[in-house]
C-alpha cells in the first residue's frame, strides 16, 4: 500500500472569497443578477480588449452559460438547413459532438493530424469532398490553438462555415481572423475559471448579436431589427451568464498573469523531468508552448500506457484517457453520424494518457509521477529486448 497521499488528476484554482469580495459588493449594490447585467457587460468589454491586443481587428465577446451552449448557439447561428453535415475531429470532448446534434445537424467524424493531433483544413477539405459537409467544428484539442487565418482561407475558398471549439484554450488561442467565431469555456477546470461559463469571440458584430439573442430565448433585443423588441424572432435557449459567474470571471482575470506563469512553470519542470527519465519513449503534441496549461497529456506505446495506468492506480496517482472513447464510439449509440476513416486518431488514442496536473502540483508529486512513468517505460524496453 502506498504511504503517499493521492495525487488527483485536476485541482481547480478559483479566486478565493477575498478576491471575490469587491465584485460581490458590486452585485449587492447593483441588485442585478442576470440578463446582461453590468458585471457581464464589463467582462465582455474587458475580454474584448484582451483579445484585441492579439489581433488586428475589433473583436466582440458574447458570454454564455457554458462553452457547450456557446458552441450550440454558434452552430445554430449559421442557420443551415436541418440535417446539414458538420465535420468534427474524432479526438475531442463529447460536447463538440452533442452541440452539433442539438443544433440539428449531422456530425461527420474526421481524422486528425499525426503531429498536432488537430483537425486541419486539409483533412476537412477531403472530408467535405467525400460527404458534402456545410460546416466544420474545428477543435483546439488539449488547449493547442487552431490557426484562425488558415481556417479563414478555407472558409472563403470553400464556402464551408467554420466555428472553432477552443473550450480549453483560453490564453493560447487568439482570434486573428475576424470571420471565424471561437468558443471558450470558463468551467472550473479551465485556465479562466468562473465555475461555469462560456465565451464566443468573433470580429463580426452580427454573429455575436445573433448569438446573444439566441442565448436570451431568441427574443429580439435590437430596436433597429424591423421587428418589435421583446418579441420572439427565432427559437433560442436560456444560455445567459449570471452576474455571479461574471463576478468570479472578473476576479479570475485579475489573477490571470500570475496563474498562467505558475501553470507554465509547473508544466515546463514536469515535462523536463519526464523527458529526462523516459527520453524519446514519450511523444508530445506538436505546437506552441501553451500560455496556461490545464491538463498534461502525452503519448507512449500502448503497452507502456497500460502498464503506467496500473502502476499509477497502485500508487494512488490519478490518470485519465482524455477524449476516449473516440467520438464515433460514443456517437454510434446516441445519434446518426457519418464516419470518415480515422486511422491517425485511433493510433494517437491507443497510447494517450492524461497525468495529474494542477497549479498545486509539487516537486514531490512530479517525482512520483516521473518514477511511475520510468518504471512503465523501462519494463517495456526490457520486455522488448528479452
Ligand atoms: C473540447 C471541448 N469542448 C467543449 C467543452 C465543454 O465546455 P463547457 O464545460 O464549458 O460546456 C470542453 C470541456 O472540457 C472541451 O474540452
Amino acid at each position: 500500500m502506498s504511504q503517499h497521499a493521492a495525487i488527483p488528476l485536476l485541482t481547480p484554482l478559483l479566486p478565493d472569497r477575498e478576491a471575490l469580495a469587491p465584485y460581490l459588493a458590486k452585485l449587492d449594490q447593483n441588485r442585478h443578477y442576470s440578463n446582461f447585467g453590468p458585471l457581464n457587460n464589463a467582462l465582455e468589454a474587458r475580454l474584448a480588449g484582451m483579445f484585441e491586443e492579439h489581433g488586428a481587428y475589433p473583436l466582440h465577446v458574447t458570454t454564455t452559460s457554458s462553452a457547450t451552449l456557446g458552441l450550440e448557439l454558434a452552430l445554430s447561428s449559421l442557420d443551415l438547413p436541418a440535417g446539414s453535415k458538420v465535420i468534427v475531429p474524432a479526438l475531442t470532448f463529447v460536447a463538440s459532438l452533442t452541440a452539433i446534434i442539438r443544433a440539428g445537424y449531422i456530425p461527420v467524424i474526421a481524422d486528425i493530424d499525426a503531429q498536432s493531433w488537430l483537425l486541419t483544413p486539409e483533412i476537412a477539405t477531403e472530408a467535405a469532398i467525400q460527404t458534402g459537409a456545410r460546416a466544420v467544428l474545428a477543435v483546439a484539442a488539449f488547449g493547442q490553438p487552431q490557426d484562425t487565418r488558415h481556417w479563414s482561407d478555407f472558409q472563403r475558398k470553400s464556402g464551408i462555415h467554420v466555428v472553432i471549439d477552443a473550450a480549453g484554450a483560453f490564453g493560447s488561442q487568439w482570434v486573428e481572423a475576424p470571420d471565424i467565431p471561437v468558443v471558450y469555456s470558463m468551467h472550473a477546470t479551465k485556465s479562466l475559471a468562473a465555475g461555469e461559463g462560456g465565451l464566443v469571440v468573433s470580429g463580426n458584430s452580427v454573429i455575436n448579436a445573433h448569438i446573444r439573442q439566441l442565448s436570451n430565448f431568441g427574443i429580439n433585443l435590437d430596436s433597429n431589427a424591423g421587428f418589435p423588441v421583446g418579441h420572439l424572432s427565432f427559437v433560442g435557449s436560456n444560455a445567459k451568464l449570471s452576474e455571479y459567474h461574471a463576478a468570479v470571471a472578473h476576479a479570475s482575470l485579475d489573477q490571470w498573469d500570475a496563474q498562467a506563469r505558475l501553470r507554465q512553470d509547473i508544466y515546463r519542470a514536469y515535462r523536463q523531468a519526464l523527458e529526462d527519465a523516459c527520453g524519446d519513449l514519450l511523444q508530445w503534441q506538436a505546437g506552441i508552448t501553451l500560455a496556461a496549461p490545464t491538463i498534461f497529456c502525452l503519448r507512449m506505446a500502448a503497452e507502456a500506457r497500460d502498464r503506467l495506468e496500473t502502476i499509477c492506480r497502485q500508487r494512488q496517482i490519478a490518470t485519465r484517457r482524455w477524449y476516449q472513447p473516440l467520438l464515433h464510439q460514443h456517437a454510434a449509440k446516441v445519434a446518426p453520424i457519418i464516419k470518415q476513416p480515422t486511422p491517425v486518431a485511433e493510433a494517437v488514442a491507443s497510447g494517450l494518457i492524461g497525468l495529474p496536473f494542477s497549479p498545486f502540483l509539487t516537486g514531490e508529486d512530479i517525482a512520483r509521477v516521473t518514477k511511475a512513468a520510468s518504471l512503465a517505460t523501462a519494463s517495456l524496453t526490457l520486455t522488448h529486448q528479452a
Side-chain angles (χ1 to χ4, degrees):
M1 245 335 229
S2 168
Q3 308 283 310
H4 296 289
I7 308 179
L9 188 69
L10 303 170
T11 308
L13 174 61
L14 275 94
D16 62 16
R17 57 184 152 172
E18 213 176 298
L20 286 173
Y23 298 103
L24 295 179
K26 286 189 188 177
L27 258 169
D28 289 346
Q29 256 169 31
N30 297 337
R31 300 212 159 274
H32 198 141
Y33 301 101
S34 187
N35 293 24
F36 315 119
L39 284 173
N40 176 73
N41 297 345
L43 177 68
E44 289 179 341
R46 200 174 165 189
L47 285 164
M50 194 171 170
F51 277 95
E52 282 171 1
E53 283 172 22
H54 294 264
Y57 304 93
L59 289 166
H60 308 277
V61 175
T62 301
T63 56
T64 52
S65 53
S66 66
T68 305
L69 261 300
L71 289 168
E72 182 181 326
L73 302 188
L75 290 164
S76 297
S77 76
L78 302 177
D79 227 0
L80 299 173
S84 294
K85 294 164 193 156
V86 179
I87 298 166
V88 61
L91 187 68
T92 180
F93 185 55
V94 290
S96 315
L97 178 89
T98 58
I100 294 171
I101 298 167
R102 291 181 59 82
Y105 307 138
I106 297 177
V108 173
I109 313 239
D111 212 357
I112 53 169
D113 175 75
Q115 265 70 50
S116 68
W117 307 348
L118 303 180
L119 177 70
T120 62
E122 291 73 23
I123 297 170
T125 300
E126 186 55 34
I129 291 168
Q130 299 294 328
T131 62
R134 304 279 301 268
V136 176
L137 182 60
V139 180
F142 309 113
Q144 191 56 236
Q146 284 281 358
D147 181 342
T148 51
R149 290 200 192 102
H150 200 175
W151 281 111
S152 173
D153 287 345
F154 166 91
Q155 180 172 260
R156 214 173 29 253
K157 287 180 189 147
S158 66
I160 296 170
H161 299 273
V162 178
V163 173
I164 293 183
D165 174 351
F170 183 86
S172 300
Q173 171 79 64
W174 300 106
V175 185
E176 288 154 324
D179 53 347
I180 303 291
V182 184
V183 181
Y184 301 85
S185 172
M186 297 193 287
H187 184 264
T189 53
K190 300 297 187 281
S191 61
L192 179 64
E196 291 279 6
L199 312 170
V200 185
V201 185
S202 96
N204 183 332
S205 60
V206 176
I207 291 181
N208 278 71
H210 194 158
I211 291 168
R212 187 175 170 103
Q213 186 172 339
L214 280 166
S215 79
N216 190 41
F217 314 98
I219 294 170
N220 180 34
L221 302 166
D222 177 6
S223 53
N224 299 316
F227 195 82
V229 169
H231 286 221
L232 194 68
S233 44
F234 38 73
V235 176
S237 190
N238 181 358
K240 301 184 298 296
L241 189 77
S242 82
E243 287 287 278
Y244 285 98
H245 290 93
V248 183
H250 274 289
S252 272
L253 265 182
D254 293 342
Q255 302 174 353
W256 168 259
D257 286 334
Q259 192 238 152
R261 247 193 324 274
L262 178 60
R263 288 181 181 278
Q264 255 193 42
D265 290 348
I266 294 171
Y267 186 93
R268 196 180 309 112
Y270 196 178
R271 179 161 164 173
Q272 190 63 56
L274 280 162
E275 283 178 349
D276 290 347
C278 308
D280 53 12
L281 295 170
L282 309 180
Q283 289 167 25
W284 305 88
Q285 183 181 26
I288 65 161
T289 300
L290 299 186
T294 53
I295 58 178
F296 195 91
C297 199
L298 62 151
R299 193 184 162 211
M300 59 188 70
E303 197 183 330
R305 191 269 306 268
D306 296 352
R307 209 187 296 269
L308 179 54
E309 285 176 334
T310 307
I311 295 169
C312 285
R313 219 173 7 257
Q314 289 160 349
R315 297 174 178 216
Q316 295 187 280
I317 300 168
T319 64
R320 169 110 21 113
R321 292 185 184 186
W322 284 115
Y323 300 157
Q324 292 178 65
L326 293 172
L327 226 48
H328 48 276
Q329 291 154 346
H330 287 290
K333 297 178 214 140
V334 297
I337 58 155
I338 296 167
K339 161 85 170 50
Q340 290 283 289
T342 54
V344 178
E346 271 145 49
V348 170
S350 71
L352 201 70
I353 185 162
L355 296 175
F357 187 79
S358 85
F360 303 99
L361 206 70
T362 64
E364 193 196 330
D365 295 336
I366 291 176
R368 280 175 60 198
V369 179
T370 304
K371 178 78 190 156
S374 80
L375 282 172
T377 49
S379 49
L380 180 85
T381 313
L382 287 177
T383 315
H384 279 175
Q385 284 167 354

